Amino acid sequence: MALDKITLQNFRNHASSELVETAHFNLLVGENGAGKTNVLEALSLLSPGRGLRRANLAELARRANPEDEPGAFAIGASLIEQGQVSARIGTYTEPDRPNRRLVRINGADAPASALSEWLAISWLTPAMDGLFTDSAGARRRFVDRMTLAVEPGHAKHVTSLENALRERNKLLETGGEPRWLDAIEAQVAQHGAVVAQNRARLIDLLADELSAVPPEPFARPILAYRPGGPTDVAELLAELARARPRDRAAGRALSGPHRDELDVVMASSGVPAASCSTGEQKAMLIAITLAHGVLASSGRPSVLLLDEVAAHLDPVRRAELFRRLGTGKAQIWMTGTELAPFAEIESEAATWRVSRGKLERL
């Protein structure tokens, strides 16, 4: 197990909810809009970033009335390793600072990036079904989240890279002194090279894991990392210096790790994922998620959040999904409108019925 004694206070439609005595499989069932995905979103915020919905913090606090000012929320959980509590982690906001997320680990303040040192969390939601036809930025965020699960320090480099790129854009726009550009480009190159190398290493690991997976019942994808510029520090630094006139005219950097791309094709046909059917895309996305779950659970405790996945699979694929999840080490959280799709694992799962933001243990 990874998480237990989970508490949600004033989060979305949950005024005060608690989940205890969790298991390897954890099921949340209830009608649409009951608050199932809200629980998954709360768990996703126990990792760096904006969670599985990428919502603004002020949207997360529960409001008794829509016209009320944003309040504060709190999410906490005990981290379980080998049957023992190894840490208590939590994230929250304060009433006077609703747009600033705070983190505590074992009772002490900590940066959000520190959460990745304790726990690896990944997820698959219906909103991700269009990943292969979405923007390159969406795929980079997808890759970064997967990378974070195996490289805990990745988030710091991504944040530093984004900040440095914004500062470089400002300097180019305002005609900043060359020495300031030299300094900020050194930061872009330093952090950008690490980000690019981490991403490439993650894709290589996933490709190796996927190569051993049977092509059925889930369509097997072939992954390739396509860098948006040099991945070596010195080469990236030189490219940034050469590209100043071009980037000044464009208003942004036109090459670098912020332009990386994830290429995906279906192994059996060689067709790019973006051109495959919706069902094939879904199957490939599940295959990637399962392969990543193996990588993520090889080190720290890990959690996999699956929102409304089982109900949309045929019986053969659903059985194979449960089989693979059952043999993995990651703690699994799944949602559904009814228990029927989970019949094969119901006896070994911890199950809660969710209704209007309230939880009832079944």
Side-chain angles (χ1 to χ4, degrees):
M1 288 191 294
L3 296 176
D4 198 8
K5 300 179 181 177
I6 301 160
T7 57
L8 281 64
Q9 296 290 328
N10 293 320
F11 184 81
R12 295 287 192 182
N13 68 336
H14 290 266
S16 179
S17 294
E18 184 179 46
L19 301 98
V20 297
E21 297 182 358
T22 60
H24 178 71
F25 284 111
N26 299 274
L27 308 178
L28 300 163
V29 296
E31 297 178 353
N32 292 329
K36 307 183 299 296
T37 305
N38 292 343
V39 175
L40 299 192
E41 182 180 26
L43 296 180
S44 74
L45 288 169
L46 295 175
S47 65
R50 294 171 57 183
L52 59 80
R53 284 187 175 121
R54 291 183 56 78
N56 293 324
L57 287 175
E59 299 174 11
L60 303 179
R62 180 176 177 270
R63 304 185 192 193
N65 299 296
E67 63 273 11
D68 290 348
E69 290 296 319
F73 69 84
I75 303 161
S78 292
L79 188 62
I80 308 297
E81 295 185 78
Q82 298 180 343
Q84 300 294 321
V85 176
S86 61
R88 181 73 183 175
I89 60 178
T91 186
Y92 63 100
T93 58
E94 295 178 335
D96 58 339
R97 294 185 292 178
N99 290 303
R100 182 181 178 188
R101 183 156 80 102
L102 304 172
V103 168
R104 291 182 71 82
I105 300 176
N106 289 330
D109 294 337
S113 59
L115 290 168
S116 62
E117 299 173 8
W118 292 87
L119 181 67
I121 299 182
S122 53
W123 54 81
L124 182 59
T125 71
M128 294 167 60
D129 287 354
L131 179 71
F132 302 125
T133 56
D134 206 338
S135 67
R139 287 184 289 278
R140 282 193 294 273
R141 289 192 295 271
F142 177 66
V143 171
D144 284 336
R145 190 172 67 250
M146 290 192 295
T147 302
L148 183 60
V150 296
E151 296 279 357
H154 185 69
K156 295 179 182 178
H157 291 289
V158 171
T159 300
S160 296
L161 171 63
E162 292 173 347
N163 291 338
L165 282 169
R166 281 194 294 270
E167 185 62 27
R168 179 177 183 267
N169 290 341
K170 291 179 183 177
L171 288 172
L172 288 174
E173 180 182 358
T174 59
E177 294 184 19
R179 63 190 180 94
W180 292 114
L181 275 168
D182 290 342
I184 204 66
E185 286 175 355
Q187 295 181 35
V188 173
Q190 176 189 355
H191 295 291
V194 175
V195 167
Q197 292 162 17
N198 284 348
R199 288 170 177 168
R201 186 160 47 248
L202 182 278
I203 297 304
D204 285 344
L205 290 171
L206 275 177
D208 287 344
E209 190 66 36
L210 286 165
S211 67
V213 174
E216 295 294 338
F218 296 109
R220 186 172 67 203
I222 297 175
L223 310 183
Y225 169 73
R226 178 154 48 92
T231 59
D232 173 80
V233 175
E235 292 178 0
L236 181 53
L237 188 59
E239 169 67 15
L240 290 166
R242 283 195 300 268
R244 287 177 187 177
R246 180 198 65 187
D247 293 348
R248 181 179 291 111
R252 65 189 187 281
L254 296 180
S255 64
H258 59 292
R259 308 279 289 184
D260 290 352
E261 177 62 286
L262 172 65
D263 291 330
V264 183
V265 300
M266 191 163 69
S268 60
S269 65
V271 175
S275 300
C276 291
S277 70
T278 301
E280 290 168 336
Q281 291 182 24
K282 179 79 169 183
M284 284 189 282
L285 192 54
I286 291 176
I288 293 171
T289 300
L290 292 174
H292 179 253
V294 174
L295 298 177
S297 61
S298 61
R300 294 154 290 151
S302 61
V303 172
L304 180 56
L305 312 174
L306 301 174
D307 193 18
E308 298 289 351
V309 171
H312 300 289
L313 297 176
D314 59 58
V316 173
R317 285 178 173 168
R318 190 160 57 231
E320 178 62 12
L321 173 67
F322 293 154
R323 186 192 70 78
R324 293 193 197 180
L325 294 175
T327 58
K329 296 179 180 179
Q331 184 183 50
I332 311 300
W333 290 81
M334 292 187 284
T335 66
T337 56
E338 56 185 359
L339 275 173
F342 305 108
E344 295 176 58
I345 59 170
E346 184 180 354
S347 62
E348 56 185 296
T351 305
W352 290 266
R353 183 168 297 282
V354 187
S355 177
R356 297 183 180 181
K358 298 182 182 299
L359 302 176
E360 176 191 3
R361 183 64 178 261
L362 299 182

